[in-house]
Amino acid sequence: MNYFSMSEYKKFLNWEKPGALLAWINIVLFLPLIFPLGIYCYWKRNKVDKTASLHTWKIFLLFGIMMTITAFTLIARSGSVPMSLFLGLALIGIGIYRRRIAFVRMDIIGCLLVGREFNVRNISLAIKKSEKVVHNEIDNMIKSGMLPGVRVSYDTNEVYVPGYSGDGMDEYVAKAMAEEEGVDVETVLQEKAAFETEEEVEAYSDLKRKNNIKNHPLYTGICAACGEKMSEEAIANQKCNICGRVYEKPEEDSNYF
């Protein structure tokens, strides 16, 4: 947690404060009193505020503890065990699990945005987690919109963060494409500079994307995380049978665009 800075993360997200209805205090009050409205506000908050998932473990833990205390009070009075005890303990378990995930993600975000560390192996050493965990959590954050525009090169183990790991978006995109194609950044920039219209640039990008997708592990059968050959069943299930890495469909996987 030494690296994490919420203010730096909000700056990266261009974060805007959600409306008053979506304030955490309202969500906490609505959930027990007006449950449908509480669920709606919680869902809406997660849509507009990508930092929300880093805090939701507190809600599970809070309600879990409250329900467990209430259940023990009922046990003392009646001698019977209410169902609320099991539900309360389940919520506490979920809260603890989500807290662990949130802390790992905050450590990763801190390494990227504050520590300016963009190598997966170095990040894993800094936060004392395996490279597999770091890869999977970065992937999950990219998919959920928590790391917009971020890309990962599984060949070099480098993470590209716009505005942080490059001087600008053009260099960032060029660096990512250069890594994918095994050429230098200047070559990619020169190729892009040869186009005069946005349509030409888009056509060029589409061609590069189609060529790049051919290297997707579900097509090659080689896991990008552990480098081992995937079985046919693993390819069908989109999950490596050796290390457990999960893949999106090639056409939907942002790491291969």
Side-chain angles (χ1 to χ4, degrees):
M1 296 292 290
N2 294 333
Y3 283 118
F4 186 69
S5 167
M6 181 59 79
S7 60
E8 188 71 24
Y9 184 41
K10 287 181 176 180
K11 184 180 76 172
F12 170 72
L13 291 174
N14 294 319
W15 188 83
E16 295 183 12
K17 187 176 181 179
L21 183 66
L22 305 181
W24 283 113
I25 185 64
N26 288 337
I27 293 173
V28 171
L29 290 174
F30 291 153
L31 281 171
L33 300 177
I34 315 174
F35 186 72
L37 180 59
I39 288 293
Y40 170 77
C41 289
Y42 173 72
W43 171 80
K44 190 68 174 177
R45 174 96 192 199
N46 276 273
K47 287 289 185 182
V48 301
D49 177 12
K50 297 306 178 183
T51 70
S53 64
L54 299 176
H55 301 289
T56 50
W57 63 269
K58 301 172 186 176
I59 294 180
F60 285 100
L61 215 53
L62 172 64
F63 283 105
I65 292 172
M66 290 172 59
M67 293 188 71
T68 302
I69 292 173
T70 302
F72 276 117
T73 303
L74 293 174
I75 291 173
R77 291 178 180 176
S78 64
S80 59
V81 180
M83 285 296 297
S84 58
L85 174 62
F86 300 104
L87 181 57
L89 293 174
L91 289 175
I92 290 174
I94 294 171
I96 292 172
Y97 171 75
R98 289 184 67 97
R99 179 180 182 274
R100 182 175 64 83
I101 297 298
F103 276 31
V104 171
R105 292 184 175 186
M106 285 190 284
D107 282 348
I108 292 172
I109 293 168
C111 284
L112 294 173
L113 305 185
V114 183
R116 298 297 199 270
E117 178 55 70
F118 306 109
N119 182 275
V120 172
R121 178 167 297 171
N122 291 340
I123 293 172
S124 70
L125 292 173
I127 69 174
K128 297 179 173 59
K129 299 292 180 183
S130 70
E131 289 185 48
K132 175 186 171 184
V133 168
V134 174
H135 269 299
N136 286 340
E137 286 309 318
I138 290 177
D139 273 355
N140 290 334
M141 285 190 282
I142 291 173
K143 293 171 187 174
S144 62
M146 293 178 67
L147 291 176
V150 171
R151 297 168 61 101
V152 182
S153 169
Y154 292 100
D155 293 329
T156 63
N157 252 5
E158 293 294 318
V159 184
Y160 300 118
V161 184
Y164 288 79
S165 54
D167 294 333
M169 182 58 76
D170 284 343
E171 182 178 339
Y172 155 74
V173 173
K175 190 173 181 181
M177 293 178 70
E179 290 286 355
E180 292 163 0
E181 298 172 23
V183 298
D184 58 87
V185 177
E186 287 302 318
T187 300
V188 176
L189 290 174
Q190 288 172 8
E191 287 181 359
K192 292 184 67 176
F195 302 114
E196 298 179 354
T197 66
E198 288 294 328
E199 290 76 13
E200 288 178 318
V201 173
E202 187 61 32
Y204 169 79
S205 299
D206 286 342
L207 178 61
K208 294 294 183 183
R209 186 180 298 119
K210 289 176 182 177
N211 290 335
N212 199 38
I213 285 178
K214 294 176 183 177
N215 298 321
H216 194 281
L218 296 183
Y219 284 153
T220 64
I222 303 298
C223 178
C226 67
E228 298 294 330
K229 185 174 177 59
M230 298 167 63
S231 66
E232 292 184 5
E233 182 181 1
I235 294 173
N237 294 331
Q238 298 176 215
K239 182 177 180 181
C240 178
N241 53 301
I242 306 297
C243 69
R245 176 175 171 74
V246 177
Y247 292 97
E248 290 186 69
K249 294 179 180 179
E251 295 76 12
E252 299 172 2
D253 197 333
S254 60
N255 290 314
Y256 290 85
F257 279 11

